Amino acid sequence: MFRKRTDNRGRQKVDTVPEIDDDQPRNPFTELRLLSSHTDIVHLLTIIDDRRFASASDDDLAVIWDAKTGKRLSILRGHSRPIKCMLLLHQRQEYQNEEIAATLLLTGSSDRTILVWDVDDGQCLHTITEHCGSVKCLVNMKEERIFFSGGQDLCVWNEKGEMLDKMARNSEHSDIHALLPIKNNRIVAASNKSSLVVYLVKPTDDSENLKIVEFKKLSPHRESIRCLINVADSMFASASLDGAIVLWSSHSISYTRQFNFVKNYEGPNHTYPASAQHVFTVDQRYIFASIGQGFFLFDALSGNCLAKVTNAHHGKIIHSVLLCDGYILATCSEDGSVRIWGSPNPLLVCDGSELKPFTLQVERFLGKSISEIQNLNTPIIPALIGECLAHTGAINMAVNLGEEGFASCGSDGLVVLWKDGVLEKKRRNEMVRNILLSMDNTA
């Protein structure tokens, strides 16, 4: 079903954005809970474990939520300016001569500080003040047990929050907003420029410290770079405002191929924005890309486009995430909607009753084996199977909470918890049954 509109000359034309009917039998997310502790735009969500997640907002707060009930567990107060990034650290700490697992949440802010939080009690354990300028991004290099912060400068820290080195970027006029650790102790940095910078982190004569040195500059993009992702151990990708997605070798730090050339959008029929807003990878090979108002699925090895919907929303897609073990893609847009996409095959449902035993997530999403997919001459057009409406403004992010559904956040200051209606009904019936049984036992 398509919505008809008129052009600027009053002539009727067909808007290629698909519309969904009220009946959505393949959309499992029929219940929602509004989580309203924030008072400003919520930009970030991060999963803590299978029962908790955190949100961060321009109101200077981070909040930890129960993924099952939507209950607010902790409010993390300490920043004096908006939070720009979050990072989860899993540590081994010594307690009474024994090593125990500890989970810490780091928040970076435009107040120039990084705060370290205990996710269990919501207490601030440490305040890092040595980062100069706004903290735009946080990433960790797990094998080395260090983490990095980016902004005006690039800093490296040990797990205790002690600075090991700082790369001053005084001559640069654009802050680092994305960092990506890759093989051989190297880290890729992206700013609002069209080039990437690769840094090498190496030990110094003092075994307690590290040294950050510039290793290589990469300049294949025409516009500023928005996203960085690891595709596999041997590959990473960058995406820019002109919609281009470039694949790189992590070994040689060299160009491999490009997806989505600017020329694909030339002509009178392509008036929507072509910027790449978000990319993520599955099965260490396939790249989902949100470009303009549409989304695309690329094969990093063959270079083919396997699936696409060029006009999926009435506004830019800001973020997307796979749900239900890969059978569903949720796209979040500035038009205020979350749309649910799946295989064009209507027999594929999300309750497990009629699903083929596919191994790869890309197979589950497209409803075909990988051999069938690779033999196709044209990209598959995924089906619009649902729409989740609750936000009143742009939706900035969503995270997959597994059995508990998914959460989304937006410019309206809300966090919305979307639940599987069938599962929630079963839980309520079980709760009522247990209450009745306990009443019978006490009678």
Side-chain angles (χ1 to χ4, degrees), residues 18 48 85 123 127 176 211 236 280 285 289 320 327 344 351:
I48 296 174
C85 50
Q123 296 299 307
T127 300
I176 294 172
K211 181 69 176 176
F236 69 95
F280 70 94
R285 175 171 173 174
S320 57
Y327 287 99
D351 62 5

Side-chain angles (χ1 to χ4, degrees), residues 19-37:
E19 299 297 328
I20 188 76
D21 294 327
D22 291 338
D23 185 23
Q24 303 177 28
R26 294 176 63 192
N27 180 8
F29 306 109
T30 56
E31 294 192 17
L32 62 88
R33 294 170 191 176
L34 302 180
L35 315 183
S36 54
S37 278

